[in-house]
Amino acid sequence: MTRPTVFIARQVFGDIVDRLRPHFDVRTHDGDAPLTQPALIAALQGCAGVFITGSEKIDAALLDACPQLKAVCTMAVGYNNIDVPACSAHGVVVTNAPGVLTETTADFGFALMMATARRIAEGERFLREGRWKHWGVDMFAGGDVHGATLGILGMGRIGQAIAKRGHGGFDMKVAYHNRSHLPAESEVSLGATWMTLPELLRAADHLVIVTPYTPETHHLVGAAQLALMKPTATLTNIARGGVVDDAALAEALAAGTIAAAGLDVFEGEPVVNPALLALRNVVLTPHIASASVPTRRAMANLAVDNLLAALGVGPDAGKPPTALNPEVLRS
Ligand code: GLV
């Protein structure tokens, strides 16, 4: 019997990819950059499964062109790059990687919020440029984090892990907006209060955005929403580019509508809006919130667990642990 073929669309930890080799013919793209769409389609010919990241686009056109595909397994938790309904219609199971990156991503979100509030990147640039001549009374004076109001937009796993840090570690008041309310006991343990989005924007000293990117959350924070925020407030986005209108944000930062922003994700990344690059009061990082070595390995391992199970191998055969459309395998 011929073994199924799987494709690893990006360079991934070799020992983790090796877990697939006893069961499948494994093809790899040993590059650090994503393939173009035609190259991805060409590489997937004859493949039953694919391991992807948050960058590869899986849409109806690709699925039409790759009729043998049965499983799409991403090592990311976000899956706005995958048309899940189209996958279901093509009988393709999709899995993502929730849970394993929660704490690492929350650490980073908190760090980025703190760097933004306390002007760490600005101070570092100033020092490296040789401009530091003496201690200054209000030199790089920013906002406090401890005791301030932490506004969380999107209260899933990562939002709750950020709330835990703010409430438990920094004595912050926690407010959140989410489609659904947390259970009352979680609100109590996180010290968190649900607010409407306008209420949250008005109340937050530090707004952290962690909501998934969907058609409903496109430009959820634009000029009108930024105008509701305090002039001393900061905004941190570790969700996805597109949840925030980057052009409107750059205007708000330049005009002093809000004090500062910390951004790990961008509309059209890796291209960054030049208006943001020109500003001093924004901390910019290249989509690295989940990038600790143990967590990136855990994400890759979970994608491999899913790929094995989706293609009928191992203790979870037929039941990938984190399938987004498990009904495909039941039908
Ligand atoms: C990273 O952005 C992820 O979705 O895992």
Side-chain angles (χ1 to χ4, degrees):
M1 207 177 86
T2 54
R3 293 164 9 127
T5 302
V6 296
F7 181 58
I8 313 298
R10 292 288 277 283
Q11 195 167 40
V12 182
F13 310 99
D15 60 317
I16 296 177
V17 173
D18 285 347
R19 294 179 52 213
L20 296 164
R21 296 190 193 279
H23 312 284
F24 309 129
D25 286 336
V26 179
R27 285 187 210 153
T28 58
H29 163 52
D30 294 320
D32 196 33
L35 290 168
T36 62
Q37 206 64 6
L40 179 60
I41 290 173
L44 283 175
Q45 293 312 302
C47 289
V50 62
F51 175 124
I52 62 167
T53 70
S55 314
E56 289 75 24
K57 189 169 165 197
I58 306 294
D59 58 11
L62 179 141
L63 296 164
D64 285 340
C66 305
Q68 282 169 296
L69 202 58
K70 290 274 158 277
V72 169
C73 301
T74 173
M75 66 177 278
V77 64
Y79 52 90
N80 53 296
N81 54 321
I82 306 172
D83 185 338
V84 179
C87 285
S88 299
H90 284 76
V92 173
V93 67
V94 182
T95 68
N96 70 334
V100 288
L101 46 57
T102 302
E103 298 299 329
T104 296
T105 304
D107 283 350
F108 188 90
F110 213 86
L112 188 55
M113 181 261 282
M114 291 197 74
T116 303
R118 296 301 310 275
R119 304 176 66 178
I120 288 176
E122 241 184 299
E124 209 233 1
R125 279 198 299 276
F126 175 83
L127 183 152
R128 282 182 188 273
E129 287 163 6
R131 294 163 58 204
W132 187 24
K133 303 298 179 216
H134 49 75
W135 185 89
V137 173
D138 61 357
M139 192 168 75
F140 297 110
D144 269 325
V145 171
H146 72 274
T149 297
L150 172 61
I152 301 182
L153 180 49
M155 200 58 147
R157 294 181 188 82
I158 298 169
Q160 290 176 54
I162 292 172
K164 192 172 66 180
R165 284 157 177 74
H167 176 61
F170 287 78
D171 206 16
M172 299 180 86
K173 294 178 265 312
V174 178
Y176 74 100
H177 178 73
N178 198 54
R179 269 185 316 187
S180 55
H181 291 230
L182 290 176
E185 59 275 19
S186 304
E187 288 195 341
V188 170
S189 70
L190 296 171
T193 307
W194 186 93
M195 292 185 178
T196 64
L197 181 55
E199 284 169 348
L200 183 77
L201 293 162
R202 287 192 188 96
D205 293 311
H206 304 296
L207 178 72
V208 181
I209 302 175
V210 242
T211 189
Y213 184 47
T214 64
E216 292 73 44
T217 62
H218 177 71
H219 285 188
L220 187 59
V221 178
Q225 290 72 33
L226 291 161
L228 299 178
M229 295 179 69
K230 300 177 187 179
T232 49
T234 72
L235 175 155
T236 297
N237 186 7
I238 57 164
R240 278 289 183 273
V243 177
V244 176
D245 177 344
D246 283 353
L249 176 63
E251 277 176 29
L253 288 164
T257 309
I258 65 169
L263 306 174
D264 187 48
V265 289
F266 304 88
E267 289 190 276
E269 65 185 54
V271 177
V272 176
N273 188 319
L276 288 171
L277 291 171
L279 292 166
R280 57 158 190 80
N281 52 343
V282 53
V283 184
L284 306 167
T285 53
H287 202 148
I288 54 171
S290 65
S292 74
V293 176
T295 290
R296 285 286 164 89
R297 287 185 58 83
M299 293 160 72
N301 264 314
L302 181 52
V304 164
D305 292 344
N306 275 304
L307 194 48
L308 289 165
L311 297 180
V313 175
D316 294 328
K319 292 196 193 76
T322 53
L324 293 163
N325 55 352
E327 66 283 358
V328 165
L329 292 170
R330 287 198 290 268
S331 56

